[in-house]
Amino acid sequence: MSVRRRTATYPRALRVNQVLRQVVAEELERLSDADELPMLTVTSVEVAPDMRTAKVYLASLDAAAAELLEEQRAHLQKLIGSQMTIKRTPKLRFQADPAIEAGTRVEELLRGLHHGEHDERDVHESEPPPT
């Protein structure tokens, strides 16, 4: 008899994800207002099952912003520790949200198809009618 692992996320992890997202998003907004960071949008947070690490997904993340976030990581973790009752504050890791990148790519492809249809119509409309 084999033991099956549950693949569903536990309710506690979902709550931790939501609180982490809110705390990090609010602090990033405050840091942006103080001109310490560019404006960054937190799309989601995913805490590891052991609660030791958490991936913070951002709408976009260039190299300069990633470096600034790394400098602010300890501050953000300390803030999380002060606002949450949690045994261990997860180590934050920042990355661009792959869903945003995929959505942008699909949008570009659709736009390209749409422009291709207009180009085809323009060619057919400019041709003289058959005689």
Side-chain angles (χ1 to χ4, degrees):
M1 182 170 159
S2 66
V3 177
R4 279 182 43 181
R5 275 183 80 167
R6 286 185 63 185
T7 56
T9 305
Y10 295 100
R12 179 171 183 244
L14 292 173
R15 286 193 310 273
V16 170
N17 288 344
Q18 290 172 338
V19 173
L20 283 173
R21 182 185 172 282
Q22 181 179 353
V23 171
V24 171
E26 287 174 0
E27 185 62 10
L28 290 181
E29 183 177 353
R30 191 191 69 71
L31 291 170
S32 170
D33 290 345
D35 291 331
E36 293 180 39
L37 281 175
M39 185 63 171
L40 297 167
T41 303
V42 178
T43 57
S44 65
V45 174
E46 185 179 295
V47 70
D50 64 3
M51 303 278 182
R52 290 183 186 265
T53 60
K55 291 180 187 173
V56 178
Y57 293 102
L58 302 156
S60 64
L61 183 63
D62 60 21
E67 189 175 316
L68 291 170
L69 279 172
E70 191 56 35
E71 291 173 10
Q72 294 291 333
R73 188 176 53 76
H75 165 72
L76 290 166
Q77 286 180 213
K78 188 181 294 185
L79 183 68
I80 290 165
S82 70
Q83 293 192 21
M84 292 180 69
T85 306
I86 190 168
K87 183 177 181 178
R88 183 181 294 116
T89 303
K91 182 176 181 180
L92 302 176
R93 300 185 191 282
F94 302 96
Q95 67 183 67
D97 190 336
I100 300 291
E101 291 176 23
T104 302
R105 178 71 181 133
V106 168
E107 201 172 281
E108 288 171 0
L109 290 171
L110 291 173
R111 212 175 298 127
L113 288 173
H114 182 69
H115 288 303
E117 289 175 5
H118 284 297
D119 293 344
E120 252 182 61
R121 271 192 239 136
D122 292 343
V123 168
H124 291 300
E125 289 173 3
S126 64
E127 291 177 356
T131 54

